Amino acid sequence: PYPVVLVHATLADEGSNWVTLAPLLANEGYCVYAFNYGATLASLELWPFIGPRIDGLGHIEKSAEELSSFVNSVLSKTKASKVDLVGHSQGGMMPNYYIKNLGGASKVNELIGLAPSNHGTTLSGLTKFVEVFPFADELISGLLEFLGAPALPEQQVGSAFIKKLFGSGEPVVSGVRYVVIETKHDEVVTPYTNAFLTGSNVVNVTIQNQCPEDPVAHIGMFDDSPSLQNVLNQLSSSPNESFKATCSNYGQGI
């Protein structure tokens, strides 16, 4: 019933991140859009040498503004009243800022996050390690800012951005449906439970509760069949609350 806007992850682009889901949704009859966001000088300089574009590195608040502009263009082209958003990693978290702070609540029907970095990440304990050394956190953040990748430290547990996003509690807005699809093997969003949100309009899905043998980790979520089956179920006009994916064609375990 709504156009679907795909929002890629950090260090990714629309082509590489959605090579599986975009045609899958189109084949199911959805009107699908995607875009690149968060480009910095660093990402544009690296792109010609390593293959796919490396985007999603800029300040997350700025990236949310880019999402806002893109959603407006999709609504203008399609004449739809709202869109559904599907994002991976930062792409599942960043729209929370758009919905909560930039007027997106009236334009978004549903936000589905694949392993979203909602509550930030400890990067498998790196945050705790950094806390041992005075000023180390500021030095690392400053270095990444200088290198053109501020979105990385902004996704760290306790960052100024995360504190702003969750300043008044969960960034869950009435009238918008939220879905989090996460793997227990997430090695980027750590602990993996940091992906989950709480609220009466939130659905949290753990892939291994449906497919215990699925080894998919963070990166592999974008082409993991059980994960994408759940996306299709949650995008439908009447999601099956007892849905169980067919356990095959697992994504990458890295």
Side-chain angles (χ1 to χ4, degrees):
Y2 300 104
V4 178
V5 174
L6 304 178
V7 191
H8 66 73
T10 310
L11 297 170
D13 74 327
E14 60 173 313
S16 60
N17 216 152
W18 305 120
V19 66
T20 303
L21 183 58
L24 176 63
L25 291 174
N27 289 340
E28 291 291 328
Y30 288 91
C31 186
V32 187
Y33 293 84
F35 71 115
N36 292 317
Y37 72 88
T40 64
L41 182 60
S43 63
L44 295 175
E45 287 181 344
L46 288 171
W47 172 36
F49 301 102
I50 59 178
R53 286 179 59 124
I54 303 296
D55 287 337
L57 292 176
H59 284 290
I60 298 175
E61 291 185 32
K62 177 63 177 177
S63 294
E65 293 175 4
E66 295 180 53
L67 172 61
S68 176
S69 177
F70 188 77
V71 168
N72 287 341
S73 70
V74 169
L75 293 177
S76 176
K77 290 176 182 178
T78 62
K79 308 305 179 185
S81 60
K82 294 183 178 182
V83 300
D84 286 329
L85 302 176
V86 180
H88 180 206
S89 192
Q90 181 192 164
M93 176 273 286
M94 175 267 283
N96 287 309
Y97 188 86
Y98 160 60
I99 293 170
K100 180 181 178 182
N101 299 91
L102 301 180
S106 64
K107 301 175 183 179
V108 176
N109 171 65
E110 179 174 29
L111 168 60
I112 300 177
L114 291 166
S117 51
N118 282 323
H119 288 269
T121 174
T122 66
L123 296 175
S124 297
L126 178 60
T127 298
K128 297 300 181 183
F129 175 78
V130 166
E131 288 176 354
V132 175
F133 300 93
F135 310 114
D137 192 33
E138 289 80 1
L139 289 173
I140 292 173
S141 297
L143 177 61
L144 290 171
E145 173 89 27
F146 175 76
L147 294 175
L152 295 175
E154 286 178 353
Q155 292 177 79
Q156 189 173 289
V157 167
S159 73
F161 175 80
I162 294 296
K163 289 178 179 177
K164 182 175 182 179
L165 182 62
F166 286 85
S168 56
E170 295 279 284
V172 174
V173 178
S174 176
V176 179
R177 187 169 184 268
Y178 297 81
V179 177
V180 174
I181 301 171
E182 175 62 312
T183 172
K184 290 183 178 180
H185 305 303
D186 198 323
E187 81 288 16
V188 174
V189 177
T190 55
Y192 77 91
T193 52
N194 274 16
F196 296 134
L197 296 171
T198 58
S200 60
N201 52 339
V202 174
V203 175
N204 291 312
V205 176
T206 302
I207 290 300
Q208 284 72 28
N209 289 346
Q210 299 178 11
C211 300
E213 303 304 316
D214 191 344
V216 66
H218 185 85
I219 296 173
M221 292 290 284
F222 76 92
D223 65 354
D224 176 64
S225 179
S227 299
L228 302 189
Q229 290 174 57
N230 275 277
V231 170
L232 285 174
N233 176 57
Q234 296 297 335
L235 279 176
S236 67
S237 57
S238 300
N240 180 356
E241 294 182 4
S242 58
F243 178 80
K244 186 180 185 302
T246 300
C247 300
S248 62
N249 297 322
Y250 298 144
Q252 305 169 53
I254 58 173

